[in-house]
Amino acid sequence: MTTIEHWINGAATAGTSSRTAPVFNPATGLSSTRVRLAETTDVDTAVTAAATAFESWSESSLSQRTKVLFAFRQLLVEHEEELARIISAEHGKTVDDARGETARGREVVEYACGLGDILKGSFSDQVSTGVDVHNFRQPLGVCAGITPFNFPAMVPLWMHPVAIATGNTFILKPSERDPSAANFVARLYTEAGLPDGVFNVVHGDRTAVDAILDHPGIAAVSFVGSTPIAKYVHERGTAHGKRVQALGGAKNHGVVMADADLDFAAKHLIAAAYGSAGERCMAISVAVAVGEAADPLIEILERKTRQIKVGPGNNPTTDMGPLVTAAAQERVETAVTTAAAQGATIIVDGRGLKIEGHEDGFFTGPSLLDHVTTEMDAYREEIFGPVLAVVRVDTIDEAITLINTNPYGNGTAVFTSDGETARRFQRNVNVGMIGINVPVPVPMSYYSFGGWKDSLIGDSPVHGPEGIRFYTRTKVVTTRWPHR
Ligand code: NAD
């Protein structure tokens, strides 16, 4: 049994803790590795290393930082396959999906490579007679990222390239369920020439999270995960005077109008609902069928759902892998059972699926539920699994009200061939990321990423211009050079 250790000051280290947690291969249900769980003292060691590195890294030239980020980006390209296989083996998603995750994360590095342009300040000549004003941005110091299991490479990549490009140093506390990708990325940074201590990884559970939130040497915390933990992190971090951005959970609705191309809509809803076994914050978990769209849509959805091939993520013919843990598998199957008990119609039942040769894997099949109502748990709770709930409404306005009444506001989509409907939808839904005939409207790295309402606690989304703002402070300088 090997142990995944922390990465502090450019080297793997066990730190002071004897605590570990098992890491599973979800396709087999077996564990051959474990991850070290940090104590408060280990976080302190990482902060000391990062604070020391900050002294020189914050003074490094923009061209030196760009050079390291370019090299890092190239290494991510060269090692994409290796990284994708590491992700798939601990998360369960298909290798192809994991490749997509690394590519999306890499785009943030590409954005950060433009730091010379991004960090330009502004200058106002002659604001008063003989007086000029200019501004510039400076890094905060040691920043930390606390990240979820579902994108073990991409979500941290939303954060650290931007923090590092802007002159900060970084401590990543990844999910303890799939921790290996973080160490792999740390080694690539070292190979790219990043000085020791600029990027560190501390593995752990709540003890490590609390130590980060309380530590006076950490200036800012970026969090992505479930809403209850996002609220906790935001409250505790800001109480300690830190900047905190905290992205939470989701319940994303895909609205289908009767005038939409139903085949197209169903195909994309299937990908958005069941891709990565529904373990995506941008997954569509509610299909809102408007008026006469409902019956034909359900028919196509059923047909396509039954065609999904479930299997281990490293099999190239697999469409959908297992869930991340046995607990997640049980939670999802219980949600389907509860939905049926509360009156939903089960059109496709994914419960109890066994995959030959992988009988102990954490598999469940895709489930499709019809006649789901807003009172049911299947509508109210984030199931975070391959369950698509269909809610029927009569009009687009009813669909918009439904979305706006939901506490989450991460992503949403509308399928329609009518421009007026699309425009009304995008203007009136209280959601941060909207797709028009695009089911998963994930913005590009040069836009920011973040939802509204309970999907984003605090006011700062990640990456893009908002990421630059989050990891820097502005100075405004007013200058006069009087004549002698
Ligand atoms: P999680 O909230 O359980 O864990 C996230 C992080 O918090 C992990 O590093 C974990 O170790 C830590 N953590 C867990 N419990 C804690 C506690 N009690 N105290 C302190 N720290 C704790 O989330 P998850 O299950 O890893 O990920 C899935 C969730 O993340 C879903 O809700 C999903 O919607 C959300 N998510 C959101 C986005 C987004 O962009 N909004 C992106 C990805 C995932």
Side-chain angles (χ1 to χ4, degrees):
M1 167 101 41
T2 52
T3 306
I4 301 155
E5 305 289 10
H6 315 302
W7 181 269
I8 299 175
N9 216 14
T13 169
T16 58
S17 170
S18 55
R19 290 190 307 130
T20 58
V23 178
F24 289 90
N25 178 337
T28 61
L30 300 174
S31 168
S32 59
T33 46
R34 59 190 171 193
V35 60
R36 186 76 58 190
L37 300 177
E39 300 299 343
T40 305
T41 46
D42 302 316
V43 171
D44 199 45
T45 305
V47 175
T48 303
T52 305
F54 179 74
E55 286 171 23
S56 47
W57 183 248
S58 59
E59 292 295 323
S60 62
S61 68
L62 299 189
S63 63
Q64 188 191 343
R65 290 183 220 165
T66 310
K67 204 171 131 196
V68 172
L69 285 166
F70 259 91
F72 175 58
R73 186 255 169 210
Q74 186 54 31
L75 289 168
L76 283 172
V77 173
E78 287 164 17
H79 294 277
E80 180 180 276
E81 187 64 21
E82 212 177 334
L83 181 54
R85 287 188 181 276
I86 288 171
I87 294 167
S88 173
E90 290 182 358
H91 175 285
K93 65 176 75 175
T94 64
V95 173
D96 196 41
D97 201 26
R99 271 188 220 111
E101 144 166 24
T102 63
R104 265 283 141 77
R106 198 170 64 229
E107 286 166 8
V108 181
V109 184
E110 287 160 7
Y111 173 73
C113 282
L115 63 98
D117 191 47
I118 293 165
L119 283 175
K120 277 193 296 206
S122 40
F123 184 92
S124 299
D125 173 56
Q126 195 75 346
V127 295
S128 182
T129 308
V131 178
D132 305 326
V133 174
H134 73 278
N135 73 357
F136 62 102
R137 310 194 73 93
Q138 289 190 313
L140 305 177
V142 179
C143 301
I146 301 163
T147 52
F149 80 86
N150 66 325
F151 286 105
M154 183 187 76
V155 168
L157 278 161
W158 287 350
M159 305 168 180
H160 53 75
V162 183
I164 288 171
T166 47
N168 300 281
T169 54
F170 201 84
I171 299 170
L172 173 63
K173 203 305 280 174
S175 170
E176 59 274 45
R177 291 180 224 161
D178 44 14
S180 292
N183 287 38
F184 189 81
V185 165
R187 286 176 196 277
L188 296 188
Y189 263 133
T190 299
E191 205 179 323
L194 191 73
D196 292 347
V198 177
F199 180 75
N200 308 277
V201 180
V202 172
H203 294 288
D205 53 13
R206 184 173 177 165
T207 303
V209 171
D210 286 351
I212 287 170
L213 298 174
D214 296 352
H215 203 295
I218 295 177
V221 175
S222 303
F223 173 87
V224 177
S226 59
T227 293
I229 311 298
K231 287 183 174 168
Y232 170 76
V233 165
H234 189 264
E235 199 177 312
R236 191 158 173 161
T238 52
H240 283 86
K242 300 180 198 318
R243 277 190 191 186
V244 180
Q245 53 180 182
L247 278 63
K251 195 79 185 175
N252 303 319
H253 300 64
V255 178
V256 182
M257 303 300 294
D259 61 30
D261 177 338
L262 293 186
D263 221 50
F264 175 89
K267 177 178 154 208
H268 286 278
L269 282 177
I270 292 286
Y274 303 127
S276 198
E279 293 171 321
R280 288 180 180 148
C281 67
M282 292 298 279
I284 297 271
S285 50
V286 182
V288 185
V290 181
E292 288 170 6
D295 288 339
L297 179 69
I298 297 276
E299 204 183 304
I300 310 170
L301 284 174
E302 176 180 359
R303 183 162 33 86
K304 290 186 187 294
T305 304
R306 293 192 190 283
Q307 287 165 0
I308 293 170
K309 193 158 179 286
V310 184
N314 62 3
N315 182 338
T317 64
T318 293
D319 298 318
M320 190 181 107
L323 290 165
V324 67
T325 55
Q329 180 193 31
E330 194 187 326
R331 190 193 65 237
V332 170
E333 299 209 340
T334 303
V336 176
T337 305
T338 306
Q342 291 179 345
T345 310
I346 302 186
I347 305 285
V348 180
D349 189 348
R351 289 173 295 178
L353 179 75
K354 286 283 169 217
I355 303 295
E356 211 184 311
H358 292 77
E359 285 75 9
D360 294 327
F362 309 138
F363 291 97
T364 190
S367 291
L368 178 64
L369 314 177
D370 192 9
H371 298 290
V372 173
T373 64
T374 52
E375 296 80 39
M376 293 179 189
D377 292 353
Y379 178 78
R380 293 154 63 91
E381 283 169 15
E382 183 185 30
I383 298 173
F384 218 57
V387 181
L388 180 61
V390 181
V391 176
R392 295 169 179 241
V393 299
D394 292 328
T395 64
I396 182 67
D397 289 332
E398 240 186 281
I400 291 171
T401 304
L402 182 78
I403 292 167
N404 290 349
T405 311
N406 194 283
Y408 295 109
N410 214 36
T412 188
V414 65
F415 292 89
T416 180
S417 57
D418 180 65
E420 201 278 325
T421 302
R423 186 168 187 275
R424 185 136 54 107
F425 183 79
Q426 74 186 41
R427 295 197 72 243
N428 293 333
V429 282
N430 296 331
V431 173
M433 296 174 282
I434 298 164
I436 309 292
N437 296 313
V438 173
V440 182
V442 182
M444 307 309 292
S445 60
Y446 32 89
Y447 285 87
S448 298
F449 182 96
W452 285 18
K453 303 193 282 184
D454 275 1
S455 297
L456 177 75
I457 315 301
D459 69 347
S460 180
V462 291
H463 66 63
E466 299 266 12
I468 300 291
R469 190 200 62 75
F470 182 76
Y471 291 120
T472 54
R473 291 188 285 195
T474 314
K475 271 184 180 161
V476 180
V477 183
T478 306
T479 310
R480 175 190 284 142
W481 295 101
H483 292 295
R484 284 180 193 269

